[in-house]
């Protein structure tokens, strides 16, 4: 690991200045307040502005094809997080767009990709079902093909289709051979969400996020919306899951791509700074909490753990970030005392509710995009070469 400081070139310094000014103008207090109220993690005005300024295209495009350089990408990822930009869902749109580019027909690519890069078209992921998400191959949402092969009828339900209500298409995993072998009976479609028979219902999670349950009742889907082969969805899924899990995110130039969920870690770092400031300030009796050795120890340990998590790339970083958030959020709450339980913008809230929010955010951060347990198994099997876990009791 190389911890040396990177000197920014004049060009990179200019890029940083422009980006900061842009985000400062777009991500206003009003945008942040609205995002907190709605839990959408999305703001159409900001998203379209990012598209119009070319940032979405530069982020999605590989460096060799004119996208961000490795240093620009690092600046971009850090600044977008620091500005509290409501845009977690760009990751999903960018991921699905990658698979459209790779597996969809030319006609569908042309229909979708320019709008993705301009910000007008958003894409969401429809894998998880009400009965389970980790084992996506147990998919029960059925797609039945017409006799002439030109269209399909879809029936089923998908849980946690985040940002569906702001998206034009869903990347939908269906079962096209219910009696067939697992992993060889799945087909993916890019389904227009305006199609008759689709109903989107909002759900709020414990951290205030808005996600959705989406019902599909006799939804007619043209065969040209199919992504990949019939019953070949697992091949597409494997590539998609690997990218979502950060396996494919390594760049050259000595700078590894930051782990997914780095934005959540940056919010945690801000909260920890706010908690440390409260602990260092004298109370009405002139006493400083930090003078209590256990407080100093817990804050110091939290800062060190967070720094280590932020410096860990790929899927290891994904696990380190979520696990660290879950472990240090209770420490932050304890250091602040009872007033830590009050949320942001509430009178009397300690550190303006920063720790309270991170406490609620830490749980879901270890679930969406794959749970911590599932990631740990992937690291064990794919990186350490360990065998598949056996969950049955020993004989
Ligand atoms: C806020 C939020 C947003 C989301 N957004 C989307 C989205 O946009 N699109 C989408 O398709 N999904 C989305 N998800 C779903 C997410 O991917 C799933 O919640 C996740 O994959 C876990 O599935 P599950 O909740 O059904 O839990 P289950 O799979 O039922 O797991 C339950 C428990 O069993 C454990 N477990 C399961 N399998 C194993 C195993 N093999 N080994 C060890 N432990 C295991 C899990 O770790 C967990 O603790 C979202 C979820 C949340 C909370």
């Amino acid at each position: 690991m190389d911890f040396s400081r990177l000197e920014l070139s004049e060009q990179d310094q200019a890029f940083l200045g422009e980006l900061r000014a842009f985000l400062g103008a777009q991500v206003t207090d009003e945008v942040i307040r609205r995002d907190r109220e709605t839990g959408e993690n999305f703001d159409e005005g900001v998203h379209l502005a990012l598209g119009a300024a070319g940032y979405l295209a530069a982020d999605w495009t590989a460096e060799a094809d004119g996208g961000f350089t490795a240093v620009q990408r690092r600046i971009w990822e850090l600044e977008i997080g620091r500005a509290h930009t409501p845009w977690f869902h760009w990751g999903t749109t960018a991921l699905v767009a990658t698979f459209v580019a790779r597996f969809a027909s030319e006609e569908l690519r042309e229909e979708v990709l320019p709008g993705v890069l301009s910000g007008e078209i958003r894409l969401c992921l429809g894998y998880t079902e009400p009965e389970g998400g980790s084992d996506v191959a147990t998919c029960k949402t059925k797609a039945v093909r017409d006799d002439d092969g030109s269209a399909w009828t879809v029936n089923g339900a998908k849980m946690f289709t985040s940002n569906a209500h702001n998206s034009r298409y869903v990347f939908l995993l269906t079962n096209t051979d219910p009696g067939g072998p697992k992993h060889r009976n799945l087909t993916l479609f890019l389904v227009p969400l305006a199609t008759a028979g689709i109903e989107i219902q909002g759900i709020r999670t414990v951290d205030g996020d808005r996600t959705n349950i989406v019902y599909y009742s006799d939804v007619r889907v043209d065969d040209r919306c199919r992504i990949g082969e019939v019953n070949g969805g697992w091949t597409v899924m494997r590539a998609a899951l690997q990218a979502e899990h950060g396996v494919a995110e390594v760049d050259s130039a000595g700078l590894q791509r930051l782990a997914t969920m780095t934005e959540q870690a940056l919010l945690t770092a801000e909260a920890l700074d706010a908690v440390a400031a409260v602990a260092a300030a004298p109370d009405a009796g002139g006493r400083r909490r930090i003078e209590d050795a256990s407080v100093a120890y817990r804050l110091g340990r939290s800062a060190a753990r967070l720094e280590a998590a932020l410096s860990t790339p790929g899927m290891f970083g994904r696990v380190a970030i979520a696990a660290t958030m879950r472990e240090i959020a209770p420490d932050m709450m304890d250091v602040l005392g009872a007033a830590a339980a009050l949320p942001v913008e509430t009178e009397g809230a300690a550190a303006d509710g920063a720790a309270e929010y991170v406490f609620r955010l830490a749980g879901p951060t270890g679930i969406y995009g794959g749970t911590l347990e599932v990631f740990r198994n992937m690291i064990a099997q794919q990186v350490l070469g360990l065998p598949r876990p056996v969950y049955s009791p020993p004989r």
Side-chain angles (χ1 to χ4, degrees), residues 57-69 73 257:
D59 185 42
W60 188 73
T61 308
E63 181 181 353
D65 300 327
F68 287 141
T69 63
R73 184 173 298 287
R257 283 193 72 167

XYZ file of all heavy atoms in Angstrom, residues 57-69 73 257:
114
model
N -20.991 11.467 -18.227
C -20.321 10.776 -19.341
C -18.863 10.483 -18.986
O -18.351 9.390 -19.245
C -20.410 11.617 -20.607
N -18.192 11.455 -18.359
C -16.773 11.257 -18.026
C -16.612 10.166 -16.975
O -15.632 9.416 -16.980
C -16.171 12.570 -17.524
N -17.599 10.061 -16.062
C -17.515 9.032 -15.020
C -17.764 7.643 -15.612
O -17.106 6.679 -15.244
C -18.558 9.321 -13.924
C -18.426 8.360 -12.760
O -17.282 8.081 -12.351
O -19.458 7.868 -12.266
N -18.711 7.559 -16.535
C -19.112 6.248 -17.073
C -18.090 5.716 -18.078
O -17.908 4.512 -18.217
C -20.491 6.384 -17.736
C -21.082 5.074 -18.139
C -21.597 4.123 -17.313
C -21.199 4.565 -19.467
N -22.046 3.050 -18.046
C -21.812 3.297 -19.374
C -20.851 5.060 -20.729
C -22.087 2.519 -20.495
C -21.129 4.280 -21.849
C -21.739 3.020 -21.712
N -17.412 6.638 -18.771
C -16.523 6.250 -19.868
C -15.137 5.878 -19.328
O -14.635 6.537 -18.415
C -16.398 7.437 -20.853
O -17.725 7.852 -21.206
C -15.643 7.072 -22.103
N -14.535 4.845 -19.893
C -13.179 4.458 -19.485
C -12.189 5.552 -19.862
O -12.403 6.281 -20.842
C -12.797 3.154 -20.173
N -11.097 5.647 -19.095
C -10.102 6.690 -19.357
C -9.587 6.608 -20.799
O -9.474 7.634 -21.478
C -8.934 6.548 -18.368
C -7.875 7.610 -18.561
C -6.703 7.476 -17.600
O -6.760 6.627 -16.686
O -5.721 8.227 -17.788
N -9.360 5.388 -21.273
C -8.820 5.216 -22.629
C -9.782 5.754 -23.688
O -9.373 6.131 -24.783
C -8.561 3.739 -22.884
N -11.078 5.819 -23.346
C -12.067 6.312 -24.320
C -12.475 7.765 -24.049
O -13.502 8.225 -24.544
C -13.325 5.415 -24.286
C -13.004 3.982 -24.639
O -12.099 3.789 -25.468
O -13.615 3.066 -24.060
N -11.714 8.457 -23.206
C -11.985 9.889 -22.986
C -12.641 10.199 -21.652
O -13.035 11.341 -21.409
N -12.762 9.211 -20.774
C -13.346 9.455 -19.449
C -12.333 10.083 -18.497
O -11.231 10.474 -18.899
N -12.724 10.182 -17.206
C -11.826 10.754 -16.193
C -10.498 10.018 -16.166
O -10.444 8.798 -16.326
C -12.433 10.594 -14.791
C -13.590 11.505 -14.494
C -14.669 11.021 -13.760
C -13.588 12.825 -14.882
C -15.738 11.845 -13.451
C -14.654 13.658 -14.578
C -15.729 13.167 -13.854
N -9.423 10.758 -15.876
C -8.158 10.098 -15.558
C -8.294 9.530 -14.146
O -9.240 9.871 -13.420
C -6.995 11.107 -15.560
O -7.249 12.061 -14.510
C -6.874 11.833 -16.883
N -10.774 10.965 -11.343
C -11.818 10.087 -10.780
C -11.782 10.113 -9.258
O -12.803 10.177 -8.587
C -11.626 8.663 -11.307
C -12.703 7.692 -10.870
C -12.557 6.359 -11.563
N -12.704 6.437 -13.002
C -13.854 6.621 -13.637
N -14.966 6.739 -12.952
N -13.898 6.702 -14.942
N -9.460 2.209 -7.480
C -10.758 2.872 -7.306
C -11.229 2.680 -5.884
O -11.032 1.637 -5.279
C -11.790 2.297 -8.272
C -11.588 2.832 -9.665
C -12.770 2.525 -10.538
N -13.926 3.329 -10.195
C -14.999 3.416 -10.965
N -15.054 2.754 -12.084
N -16.019 4.157 -10.622
